[in-house]
C-alpha cells in the first residue's frame, strides 16, 4: 500500500494550533485601509513588485534597519524598499545656522553610537551639532535629595555586559571620546539625514518617498506565483509592493501593526511634554565643550530636564500636566523664560501658584527668587532666551504591543513601544530593536531560512520584548513614585536616592548598564 501524500496526512496538534492561529491572524489582519481619498488620476496599476524586505517609515528606526541590512555582507544582496510619507529630498537638504537648533532632539547612549558607527552612519553625522555630556544632576523637587551621575576619572570604562553584536559589544559603554560620555545630544534631523546619506552611499534600496500607504492586504495566488501569505502594500501612486518581510517602523499609530492584528496596550498620563530650544547666560558649569552637564528635577507634576547642546544652547523637556502645558505655551517669551528658570529654583508650591497666573510671571519669579535659597553651581545656568518657534508639546503615554512579530511582519521603535520621556530612552530602545532584528535576519539568511516566518523572527522578540518591558515598567513606576508630594513615600524615595549616590560601585553599575544596554540612568 502506497503512503498517503503529505498534503493528505492528518495534522499533528502543534500544526493544527499553528494553522488555527494563522487563520485567526488572516481573519484579523486581512486588510489595512487608509481613510478614503479622491482617486489619483495619475496612479499606476500593475502587479506587485516583489521585495525581500519592505520597511514602512523613514525615521531613525526604519532608516537604521535598512542601513544595517545593506551594510552587512550576509544581507547586502536582499532586495529592499523604503516607504515614507514625507519627501526625503527635504531631509537630504536640511540646513540650520549654527545658532539655531531643532526642538526635536534625542539622547543617544554610547551603545547606540557604537551601533551607528558599526553600520557606517555615524561618520555622516554633523559632529559640530552633536553635544556629548559627561555628568547628569538629578534631584527630588520636594526634598532636595540628589544624585550625580558622572564617571570617575580613573574608572575603567570597559564593560563586560553581553550584547549580540561582537563589534559593538567591545565598545558597549564607550563612545568616540573613549568612554567618559553618558550620552550624546543630537537633533533627530541630524541623525536621520546621516542615515539617509549612508543609505545613498550604499545604494540598492528602492525609495518610495512622498508616498501614502493606501492599503495593506495579502497578495494574489496564481498558477505561477503564490503571494497569498505575503503582505502587499498599495501606495498612493498606484504601485504595489509584495514583501517577504514587512517591517513596521511607522510610529505609535502603526498601520503595519493594525494590519498584523497585534494589539497595543497601555495608558495615557494626562500629561504633555513641553519642548523648546533655549539659550543660557553661559556655556554651563561643565569643564569645557566635551564635559557638559545635564539636569533633571522631579516635580510632583512631572520631571523637567535641561539637556546641553553646543555652545550655550540647551534643549528643554518639561513633562507636566496637560493644563499646565497649555498655560506654558500661551505665555509671552519673558514669562516663559521666567517659568523655566523657576522650575529649577523655586518650590513646587511656588510653581503651582505661578501656573494659576495668566501673565506677569517674570516679575513674580524675580521677587520669589530673592526669598528662596539655592546653590547656583548645582542647577543650570539661567536661561536668557528662547529660540522663536521652538516651544511645542506632545502627549505622554505608555504603549506596548503584545508581540513584535507576526507571520511576515516585524515591528520596531514606536510601532512596538512608546515610553515616558523621563529617562530619554525612546530612541535608544528603537536602535536596540533594530540591531537585534538585523542580526536575526542575518542569522536566517546564513542558515537558509525564510526571513519572514515566525520561526525565523522569534529570536528578535525573545531578546527585545522582556528588556523593553522591564525598562518601561521601571520608568512608569518612577513617574508614579515622584508624582507623590507627601506621605511616607517621599522620605523613602529620598533615602534611596541618597543611598545610591553614596555607594560609588552601585552607581557605576547603573551607569554601565545604561550605557551598554540602552537602559535608563534613573
Amino acid at each position: 500500500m502506497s503512503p498517503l501524500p503529505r498534503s493528505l496526512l492528518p495534522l499533528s496538534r502543534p500544526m493544527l494550533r499553528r494553522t488555527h492561529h494563522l487563520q485567526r491572524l488572516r481573519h484579523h489582519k486581512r486588510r489595512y485601509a487608509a481613510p478614503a481619498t479622491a482617486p489619483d488620476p495619475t496612479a499606476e496599476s500593475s502587479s506587485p513588485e516583489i521585495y525581500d524586505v519592505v520597511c514602512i517609515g523613514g525615521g531613525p528606526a526604519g532608516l537604521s534597519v535598512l542601513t544595517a541590512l545593506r551594510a552587512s555582507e550576509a544581507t547586502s544582496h536582499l532586495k529592499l524598499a523604503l516607504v515614507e510619507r514625507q519627501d526625503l529630498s527635504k531631509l537630504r537638504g536640511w540646513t540650520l545656522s549654527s545658532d539655531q537648533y531643532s526642538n526635536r532632539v534625542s539622547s543617544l547612549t554610547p551603545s547606540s553610537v557604537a551601533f551607528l558607527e558599526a553600520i557606517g552612519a555615524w561618520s555622516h553625522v554633523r559632529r559640530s551639532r552633536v553635544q556629548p555630556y559627561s555628568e547628569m544632576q538629578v534631584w527630588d523637587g520636594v526634598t532636595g535629595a540628589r544624585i550625580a551621575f558622572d564617571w570617575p576619572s580613573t574608572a575603567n570604562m570597559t564593560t563586560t555586559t553581553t550584547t549580540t553584536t561582537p563589534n559593538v559589544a567591545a565598545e558597549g559603554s564607550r563612545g568616540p571620546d573613549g568612554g567618559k560620555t553618558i550620552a550624546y545630544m543630537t537633533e533627530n534631523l541630524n541623525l536621520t539625514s546621516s542615515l539617509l546619506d549612508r543609505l545613498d552611499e550604499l545604494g540598492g534600496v528602492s525609495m518610495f518617498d512622498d508616498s501614502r500607504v493606501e492599503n495593506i492586504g495579502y497578495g494574489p495566488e496564481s498558477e505561477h506565483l503564490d503571494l497569498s501569505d505575503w503582505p502587499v502594500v498599495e501606495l498612493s501612486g498606484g504601485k504595489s509592493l509584495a514583501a517577504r518581510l514587512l517591517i513596521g517602523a511607522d510610529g505609535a499609530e502603526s498601520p503595519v501593526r493594525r494590519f498584523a492584528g497585534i494589539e497595543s496596550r497601555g495608558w495615557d498620563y494626562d500629561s504633555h511634554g513641553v519642548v523648546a530650544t533655549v539659550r543660557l547666560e553661559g556655556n554651563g558649569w561643565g569643564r569645557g565643550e566635551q564635559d557638559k552637564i545635564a539636569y533633571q528635577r522631579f516635580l510632583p507634576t512631572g520631571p523637567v530636564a535641561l539637556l546641553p547642546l553646543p555652545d550655550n544652547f540647551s534643549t528643554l523637556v518639561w513633562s507636566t500636566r496637560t493644563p499646565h502645558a497649555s498655560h506654558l505655551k500661551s505665555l509671552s517669551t519673558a514669562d516663559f523664560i521666567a517659568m523655566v528658570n523657576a522650575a529649577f529654583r523655586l518650590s513646587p508650591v511656588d510653581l503651582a501658584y505661578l501656573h494659576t497666573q495668566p501673565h506677569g510671571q517674570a516679575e513674580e519669579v524675580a521677587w520669589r527668587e530673592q526669598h528662596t535659597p539655592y546653590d547656583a553651581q548645582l542647577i543650570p545656568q539661567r536661561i536668557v532666551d528662547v529660540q522663536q518657534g521652538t516651544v511645542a508639546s506632545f502627549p505622554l503615554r505608555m504603549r506596548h504591543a503584545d508581540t513584535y512579530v507576526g507571520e511576515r511582519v516585524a515591528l520596531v521603535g514606536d510601532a512596538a513601544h512608546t515610553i515616558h520621556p523621563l529617562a530619554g530612552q525612546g530612541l535608544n530602545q528603537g536602535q536596540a530593536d533594530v540591531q537585534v532584528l538585523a542580526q536575526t535576519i542575518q542569522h536566517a539568511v546564513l542558515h537558509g531560512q525564510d526571513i519572514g516566518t515566525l520561526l525565523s523572527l522569534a529570536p528578535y522578540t525573545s531578546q527585545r520584548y522582556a528588556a523593553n518591558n522591564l525598562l518601561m515598567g521601571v520608568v512608569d513606576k518612577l513617574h508614579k513614585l515622584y508624582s507623590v508630594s507627601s506621605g511616607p513615600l517621599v522620605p523613602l524615595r529620598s533615602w534611596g536616592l541618597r543611598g545610591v549616590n553614596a555607594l560609588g560601585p552601585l552607581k557605576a553599575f547603573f551607569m554601565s548598564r545604561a550605557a551598554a544596554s540602552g537602559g535608563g540612568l534613573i
Side-chain angles (χ1 to χ4, degrees), residues 181-503:
T181 297
I182 290 175
Y184 300 81
M185 299 304 302
T186 182
E187 297 154 291
N188 289 4
L189 281 171
N190 194 2
L191 177 58
T192 51
S193 66
S194 68
L195 286 162
L196 192 56
D197 287 346
R198 174 58 173 156
L199 265 186
D200 289 342
E201 181 179 77
L202 291 167
V205 177
S206 299
M207 301 280 189
F208 299 94
D209 61 328
D210 204 14
S211 297
R212 184 170 181 262
V213 175
E214 296 289 351
N215 182 69
I216 307 175
Y218 285 101
E221 180 179 1
S222 67
E223 181 180 351
H224 304 291
L225 184 64
D226 182 7
L227 298 176
S228 59
D229 69 342
W230 282 39
V232 173
V233 181
E234 298 175 15
L235 304 180
S236 53
K239 284 188 176 293
S240 296
L241 315 178
R244 184 184 299 275
L245 173 62
L246 177 62
I247 297 177
D250 45 353
E253 303 300 326
S254 169
V256 174
R257 190 182 66 236
R258 277 179 275 167
F259 160 73
I262 298 173
E263 292 290 333
S264 181
R265 307 175 195 276
W267 47 80
D268 296 342
Y269 286 110
D270 191 25
S271 297
H272 274 63
V274 177
V275 296
T277 302
V278 299
R279 184 168 60 85
L280 307 183
E281 60 186 355
N283 282 8
W285 300 120
R287 296 175 292 276
E289 279 296 308
Q290 302 303 311
D291 254 345
K292 289 197 173 183
I293 303 172
Y295 300 89
Q296 186 171 48
R297 186 189 189 196
F298 279 91
L299 299 167
T301 53
V304 56
L306 202 62
L307 306 164
L309 293 173
D311 299 324
N312 60 341
F313 293 95
S314 288
T315 186
L316 170 75
V317 184
W318 188 346
S319 303
T320 189
R321 293 168 187 163
T322 301
H324 291 174
S326 299
H327 177 239
L328 288 168
K329 291 192 295 179
S330 72
L331 297 175
S332 67
T333 298
D335 286 344
F336 180 84
I337 290 171
M339 285 295 290
V340 176
N341 283 324
F344 292 97
R345 290 164 174 81
L346 299 185
S347 72
V349 174
D350 287 335
L351 290 170
Y353 171 77
L354 290 166
H355 276 299
T356 67
Q357 304 304 300
H359 53 77
Q361 280 78 5
E363 295 80 5
E364 186 69 25
V365 169
W367 181 82
R368 288 175 181 263
E369 279 192 15
Q370 296 175 19
H371 307 279
T372 303
Y374 56 83
D375 186 342
Q377 296 286 327
L378 294 179
I379 58 177
Q381 290 183 340
R382 194 172 296 277
I383 294 165
V384 296
D385 196 13
V386 178
Q387 185 177 306
Q388 187 176 2
T390 62
V391 179
S393 68
F394 57 93
L396 304 183
R397 56 176 62 101
M398 190 187 86
R399 296 285 190 277
H400 204 187
D402 287 349
T403 180
Y404 297 168
V405 299
E407 194 73 17
R408 304 204 177 281
V409 170
L411 306 175
V412 294
D414 286 351
H417 43 74
T418 307
I419 190 172
H420 193 289
L422 71 84
Q425 291 302 314
L427 183 61
N428 294 300
Q429 281 185 294
Q431 290 297 295
D433 292 347
V434 165
Q435 184 178 343
V436 175
L437 178 59
Q439 290 167 346
T440 300
I441 295 171
Q442 292 162 18
H443 181 272
V445 169
L446 291 172
H447 290 79
Q449 299 173 344
D450 183 339
I451 64 173
T453 64
L454 283 169
L455 179 64
S456 297
L457 296 171
Y460 166 53
T461 291
S462 65
Q463 288 187 53
R464 289 303 303 154
Y465 195 93
N468 284 333
N469 198 58
L470 174 61
L471 177 59
M472 293 171 72
V474 169
V475 169
D476 180 62
K477 299 303 183 294
L478 278 172
H479 166 74
K480 292 173 180 175
L481 176 64
Y482 281 94
S483 296
V484 177
S485 59
S486 62
L489 277 178
V490 175
L492 284 175
R493 75 190 183 202
S494 297
W495 176 84
L497 202 62
R498 291 189 178 105
V500 173
N501 192 47
L503 296 173

Side-chain angles (χ1 to χ4, degrees), residues 93-104:
W94 82 278
T95 180
L96 284 174
S97 64
S98 59
D99 60 350
Q100 288 187 309
Y101 288 89
S102 167
N103 61 2
R104 297 191 64 189

